[in-house]
Amino acid sequence: MLEALRSVVQEVGTAPDLGAALTTTVDRVREVMATEVCSVYLLDDKRGRYVFRATQGLNQQVVGKVSLGPGEGLVGYVAERAEPVNVESVTEHPRNQYIAEIGEDAFNAFLGVPIIHQGQTLGVLVVQQRDKRRFDESEEAFLVTLSAQLAGLIAHAKATGHLAVKRRKSSKTFSGKPGAPGVARGVAIVIYPTVDLKQVPFRKVRNVAREVDRFTASVAETRSEIKIIAEKMADDVKEDTLGLFDAYLMMLDDTAIPKEVITRIKQGQWAQGALKQTIEAHLARFELMSDSYLRERANDLKELGNRLLSHLEKRNRRKLHFPKDSILVGDDLSLSDLASVPRERLKGIVCGRGSVNSHLAILAEALGVPTVMGVQDLPMPLIDGGEIIVDGFQGLIVTAPTATQKRQYLKLADEEEALTRDLEALAPLSCKTPDGHRTRLWVNTGLFTDVAKSLDRGAEGVGLYRTEIHYMMSETFPTEEAQRQIYREHLQAFSPRPVTMRTLDIGGDKSLSYFPIREDNPFLGWRGIRVSLDHPEIFIAQIRAMIRASEGIDCYLRIMLPMVSSVTEVNKAKQLVDQCFREVEEEGAKVQRPDLGVMIEVPAAVFQAESILERVDFLSVGSNDLVQYMLAVDRNNTQVASLYQEFHPAVLRALKHVADVALRAGKGFGICGEMAGNPGAALLLMAMGYPVLSMNSPNLLLVKKALTSFPMSDAEQLLTDVLALDSAQAVKQATDQALAEAGLSQLIRVRR
Ligand code: PEP
Ligand code: MG
């Protein structure tokens, strides 16, 4: 059964379009289940009806013409219940609905299972038989399992429409998750990993001769590479293994794969795209074979394709041209991809993975670049170079937008600009509630920090300087001196305001190309302070650079430790910081002892806040990680993004606990996670007593607007009310309502 399941899924997965995927499904299911009928009904989103989309065994003539609403007939009944319906004789079932033209009179037994993707019923898969009998348990289990696996493929095929190699001309909307607010229109520039053929975009070329040369040279390089490997391994591996290399060389023969690729290049496709088409066409054939040995060869072909690709990319990688309105698109974009686009040309970002809490989204927001995350079904190869709209408020993107859609989005962008202009008047004012409560608003910095913009918006300090960004842009660990210069510029730019430098926070979704960390569970692994304490040489260089950077400047340096989960880590780090300070002093530098603080990002640190505070000068809540660890929701996982709730009652209690502890101890504290930049959450944090809120600078005036319009006494009452609620939804609703009643509804749609 497992083998049958695998082969059906694989075959459907290689179908070129939705129609073919459905036809393959019904053909193969009917065959492997040895049943007489198999049909698929798919939901037509606009009409809300389940349309008869493919069949083997019933009337093909009415495919696409017959449909059932939810609850109508047995198919509608399956969809309504979202569970299998297994019936011995349909005519005896009360929910049966007779549709003459479909031609099912002769069939008695019926088994229908829902096709569910991400909680949504996309359709119904049905098998039928003449005999009066119940399908047995193993048949039902098979169909349910198959349907669960097919759901993703069908959702993908449905979203991407036809996958023919031509640019999509008609407009289409794809949904993901809001990443950074704002709307943008521009040209999609797809970035893909250089060793993954699957993601190579299709691009047209004019200079065919040049592409052919590039490809021919790559074939020659790949051939000699394979020969060298084969020679090296000749003594160590068996004869038949060496045969594999001969097979590779044969595939690279002028009359084999290269010939086909060159034909496609001559039709105007660039070399990478032509290679992708050729390899995929062969793979589709291989994967249909039932012989497992031959199917294995498909892997060899994939390997060969990727090898050729890497040579093509290495030689003469087409330098990406970024037009002035670039929308950066990729399945898994990194911060370095982000940094590769000149800032003034970057208008929007679309990422296939991640969520609003991924570092990519956080930095995009800091840059004020509208971003959509987790758009899983985007046909990357087809949209490259085409016009696209990014709606970071709703998490939507529109490809090939119509004139009406462009006008709608332009209007939204204008409204946003008007709101920003109105708020600018608040910049020079201090952040005081109408009843006189003062809160400090600081900014988070790190990537292309726009110091001038932060200061223009009235930033009173830096609550989080993400130092790892420089490490990520570098090709080796930066030297102490290189770091000193960068840190010094930062301190000077914000002088005399406080600047909180966080020590290296890598691991999780932040990696260094020159220091790879491979783990099954990176967010629970070697992250932040754990790495620094295991590599004191790296930590010491960084701390020394920070302290030395402050020499002779009117500044207030604060050093902050990420991902702390025990006092032992605090003790060790503190010892190293003390040692660095002593050393720098002994070397003759005139420096002030920096304040040392700890980020509260792990539940353990929440409940040890008191002991931690005894050892350091301040605490700063990193709510991005704290929410992830309290709720056990990976901040990067699109699938569970809706469970990532910063208004969760457990999170609010943790935040209140930290505030109470710090207020009792009379020490400095604040928050620097994204929550601080959310106007509704900021009201609650202020009411808890947080004296410092640090956020991405584009949010600063929105938060200031909320806090300066809302009396502290009202915020305290709101906090008391929401602490009595037991769900994130209820808290969010109460907070939104309070904002609306204060005439601040325009602040509600911003983030989460
Ligand atoms: C946090 O976790 O809230 C935080 C500010 O750090 P980062 O987002 O960089 O992990
Ligand atoms: Mg963090």
Side-chain angles (χ1 to χ4, degrees):
M1 255 340 197
L2 197 60
E3 178 65 9
L5 196 71
R6 201 192 57 75
S7 82
V8 177
V9 172
Q10 201 154 47
E11 209 173 314
V12 175
T14 53
D17 56 38
L18 178 62
L22 298 182
T23 311
T24 309
T25 303
V26 293
D27 285 353
R28 296 285 284 121
V29 170
R30 192 171 82 142
E31 183 191 333
V32 298
M33 287 187 74
T35 168
E36 286 152 298
V37 173
C38 178
S39 315
V40 177
Y41 296 76
L42 274 198
L43 180 66
D44 176 332
D45 299 318
K46 287 205 188 98
R47 293 163 59 207
R49 294 181 67 79
Y50 292 91
V51 181
F52 182 56
R53 288 293 302 266
T55 188
Q56 260 304 343
L58 298 182
N59 184 3
Q60 300 274 1
Q61 306 297 321
V62 294
V63 164
K65 297 185 183 136
V66 175
S67 67
L68 292 147
E72 270 177 34
L74 283 173
V75 167
Y77 188 47
V78 173
E80 181 187 73
R81 289 166 34 124
E83 61 178 330
V85 171
N86 191 348
V87 177
E88 190 176 325
S89 168
V90 286
T91 49
E92 287 160 34
H93 196 283
R95 301 298 289 262
N96 185 43
Q97 183 171 320
Y98 180 67
I99 304 176
E101 58 273 40
I102 217 163
E104 55 187 350
D105 308 35
F107 303 103
N108 284 295
F110 171 103
L111 170 60
V113 301
I115 304 169
I116 300 181
H117 180 62
Q118 294 184 341
Q120 275 204 324
T121 305
L122 301 180
V124 178
L125 179 60
V126 176
V127 289
Q128 290 172 272
Q129 241 170 4
R130 275 168 216 274
D131 294 349
K132 276 194 181 178
R133 70 165 189 110
R134 268 181 77 83
F135 284 89
D136 69 26
E137 262 181 29
S138 67
E139 288 169 314
E140 189 174 317
F142 175 80
L143 207 61
V144 168
T145 315
L146 183 69
S147 167
Q149 291 208 32
L150 291 181
L153 297 174
I154 292 178
H156 181 74
K158 208 174 155 199
T160 53
H162 69 104
L163 298 177
V165 186
K166 56 182 165 176
R167 183 161 323 288
R168 181 181 300 289
K169 287 285 193 305
S170 60
S171 168
K172 190 150 172 56
T173 302
F174 295 88
S175 57
K177 307 275 176 222
V183 292
R185 198 181 103 199
V187 178
I189 303 294
V190 173
I191 305 270
Y192 59 95
T194 53
V195 288
D196 187 359
L197 259 186
K198 245 197 334 232
Q199 298 192 37
V200 167
F202 297 119
R203 289 176 185 157
K204 291 281 170 205
V205 278
R206 286 217 190 94
N207 193 343
V208 167
R210 182 178 160 273
E211 284 308 283
V212 172
D213 285 351
R214 277 199 327 119
F215 179 69
T216 318
S218 305
V219 172
E221 280 178 0
T222 309
R223 287 183 69 88
S224 55
E225 180 183 73
I226 291 171
K227 280 185 192 150
I228 293 169
I229 299 174
E231 274 163 26
K232 273 197 195 145
M233 294 175 75
D235 296 335
D236 305 324
V237 298
K238 290 204 233 95
E239 192 76 2
D240 56 346
T241 308
L242 284 175
L244 182 65
F245 295 111
D246 290 335
Y248 278 167
L249 292 173
M250 265 162 62
M251 286 195 254
L252 288 176
D253 202 82
D254 287 350
T255 56
I257 285 177
K259 185 171 169 208
E260 292 178 44
V261 176
I262 288 170
T263 307
R264 288 187 161 100
I265 294 176
K266 287 184 177 160
Q267 288 161 1
Q269 189 55 233
W270 73 318
Q272 280 91 324
L275 174 67
K276 171 191 168 79
Q277 286 171 356
T278 307
I279 298 286
E280 285 184 350
H282 281 275
L283 282 178
R285 262 173 254 137
F286 263 118
E287 284 173 356
L288 291 186
M289 295 175 182
S290 52
D291 182 310
S292 60
Y293 171 81
L294 285 176
R295 267 204 324 265
E296 251 324 287
R297 301 289 63 81
N299 284 335
D300 298 340
L301 186 64
K302 248 186 249 170
E303 152 78 23
L304 186 69
N306 285 334
R307 209 171 261 275
L308 276 165
L309 177 66
S310 73
H311 281 290
L312 262 177
E313 293 284 348
K314 200 170 63 206
R315 293 182 57 78
N316 216 346
R317 177 163 165 73
R318 255 174 58 133
K319 213 168 151 3
L320 270 180
H321 166 67
F322 290 105
K324 65 179 186 333
D325 51 355
S326 296
I327 307 280
L328 190 66
V329 182
D331 185 49
D332 195 9
L333 294 171
S334 67
L335 297 185
S336 331
D337 294 328
L338 181 59
S340 68
V341 193
R343 172 62 195 94
E344 68 287 359
R345 293 178 170 242
L346 180 64
K347 296 292 181 266
I349 299 173
V350 178
C351 186
R353 299 186 198 190
S355 76
V356 66
N357 308 295
S358 307
H359 283 94
L360 182 78
I362 291 173
L363 292 173
E365 189 189 87
L367 295 174
V369 178
T371 298
V372 177
M373 302 290 290
V375 199
Q376 287 167 335
D377 295 315
L378 206 55
M380 303 284 177
L382 298 188
I383 60 167
D384 185 57
E387 192 175 12
I388 150 175
I389 287 175
V390 178
D391 176 351
F393 293 119
Q394 300 189 71
L396 296 177
I397 71 157
V398 184
T399 57
T402 61
T404 317
Q405 284 167 324
K406 286 187 215 172
R407 268 198 307 278
Q408 275 168 356
Y409 278 102
L410 194 66
K411 189 161 165 273
L412 210 60
D414 286 348
E415 282 170 12
E416 197 52 25
E417 240 181 76
L419 173 64
T420 313
R421 264 199 314 275
D422 285 354
L423 293 179
E424 273 163 14
L426 290 176
L429 309 180
S430 73
C431 182
K432 218 187 252 178
T433 58
D435 51 354
H437 181 83
R438 177 91 164 85
T439 305
R440 315 271 152 187
L441 302 187
W442 293 4
V443 284
N444 296 346
T445 58
L447 180 69
F448 317 116
T449 300
D450 199 333
V451 177
K453 262 205 182 120
S454 296
L455 294 175
D456 282 354
R457 288 170 177 149
E460 297 172 274
V462 174
L464 167 65
Y465 172 29
R466 289 185 166 95
T467 60
E468 59 276 3
I469 307 289
H470 293 297
Y471 284 71
M472 292 166 87
M473 299 306 153
S474 175
E475 288 180 356
T476 57
F477 278 109
T479 61
E480 179 182 320
E481 180 52 22
Q483 292 184 69
R484 187 193 69 83
Q485 287 175 20
I486 292 169
Y487 300 157
R488 192 170 173 80
E489 276 171 25
H490 220 72
L491 288 168
Q492 263 165 337
F494 284 93
S495 162
R497 297 167 184 78
V499 172
T500 314
M501 297 196 180
R502 173 170 73 185
T503 61
L504 182 63
D505 187 22
I506 50 167
D509 64 345
K510 287 178 287 192
S511 57
L512 304 179
S513 55
Y514 50 90
F515 190 66
I517 301 174
R518 297 200 206 293
E519 294 172 313
D520 286 343
N521 233 332
F523 276 109
L524 297 183
W526 207 40
R527 273 195 78 182
I529 193 71
R530 301 171 184 181
V531 179
S532 294
L533 291 179
D534 283 349
H535 279 281
E537 77 288 12
I538 294 166
F539 187 65
I540 286 172
Q542 184 175 38
I543 301 290
R544 283 179 49 91
M546 288 174 179
I547 298 174
R548 286 181 50 220
S550 67
E551 189 181 7
I553 307 179
D554 178 15
C555 67
Y556 174 14
L557 170 64
R558 300 164 22 117
I559 296 179
M560 181 162 82
L561 311 170
M563 265 298 284
V564 165
S565 57
S566 75
V567 291
T568 319
E569 288 166 338
V570 182
N571 291 342
K572 284 187 187 159
K574 195 171 172 211
Q575 228 172 14
L576 290 172
V577 173
D578 286 345
Q579 174 191 321
C580 292
F581 181 67
R582 268 198 317 275
E583 277 173 20
V584 174
E585 264 199 332
E586 280 162 20
E587 288 161 15
K590 296 268 170 298
V591 286
Q592 296 281 322
R593 178 183 288 275
D595 276 2
L596 182 65
V598 163
M599 289 187 80
I600 303 291
E601 303 187 277
V602 177
V606 171
F607 298 106
Q608 280 212 292
E610 205 153 7
S611 310
I612 293 173
L613 253 193
E614 283 165 12
R615 292 163 167 82
V616 293
D617 305 300
F618 67 93
L619 298 180
S620 180
V621 177
S623 56
N624 306 336
D625 276 312
L626 185 59
V627 173
Q628 125 161 302
Y629 293 124
M630 285 208 62
L631 305 185
V633 175
D634 180 343
R635 64 192 266 186
N636 247 355
N637 186 338
T638 318
Q639 186 88 9
V640 290
S642 61
L643 299 179
Y644 184 100
Q645 299 162 336
E646 46 194 30
F647 285 107
H648 194 291
V651 172
L652 296 186
R653 292 207 174 102
L655 289 164
K656 172 101 177 32
H657 176 76
V658 173
D660 291 346
V661 167
L663 286 169
R664 258 200 319 274
K667 290 210 171 161
F669 72 108
I671 172 165
C672 60
E674 295 312 295
M675 221 176 149
N678 177 340
L683 288 179
L684 301 179
L685 293 163
M686 172 179 77
M688 288 179 196
Y690 279 81
V692 175
L693 307 181
S694 188
M695 65 203 74
N696 276 330
S697 83
N699 289 333
L700 204 138
L701 293 176
L702 299 167
V703 168
K704 195 182 258 189
K705 174 78 182 161
L707 301 195
T708 52
S709 313
F710 215 89
M712 177 64 161
S713 53
D714 289 1
E716 283 169 341
Q717 184 56 50
L718 175 65
L719 177 66
T720 310
D721 294 346
V722 301
L723 283 175
L725 300 173
D726 60 7
S727 78
Q729 289 78 3
V731 175
K732 170 91 170 75
Q733 203 179 2
T735 312
D736 286 353
Q737 195 180 330
L739 281 170
E741 282 167 9
L744 301 170
S745 343
Q746 79 272 31
L747 303 181
I748 294 176
R749 68 199 162 104
V750 180
R751 280 188 88 84
R752 303 188 180 92

